[in-house]
Amino acid sequence: MLLQPITDHANIVHYSFNEKASISRKITVIALLSTMAATLQAAGGLIPAAGLFINPLATAPAILSMVLPVR
């Protein structure tokens, strides 16, 4: 399981999320991930010194929300 390509892991997450979650839960999760990404992105301007280190963390929720598309 550890040596699988990253696309296999993304497919596993994608299919398990789409099979087990209702449409309202899917929309809520995507909205929360988008809010988290926007907050982390804005940290660079709100907290000038520490925000520069927090700002790159905004990529993780953006990538995860792209793996979990709502169908």
Side-chain angles (χ1 to χ4, degrees):
M1 180 97 179
L2 186 62
L3 298 177
Q4 291 179 341
I6 190 70
T7 56
D8 290 343
H9 292 290
N11 284 334
I12 290 169
V13 171
H14 170 77
Y15 289 121
S16 66
F17 182 73
N18 279 329
E19 300 251 337
K20 297 178 182 176
S22 65
I23 189 71
S24 60
R25 183 175 294 246
K26 291 175 187 178
I27 292 172
T28 304
V29 168
I30 298 299
L32 288 173
L33 287 171
S34 300
T35 304
M36 188 185 313
T39 305
L40 290 171
Q41 186 69 33
L46 295 175
I47 312 166
L52 294 175
F53 297 106
I54 297 171
N55 194 343
L57 298 176
T59 308
I63 291 173
L64 188 57
S65 66
M66 289 176 17
V67 171
L68 305 173
V70 177
R71 289 186 184 186

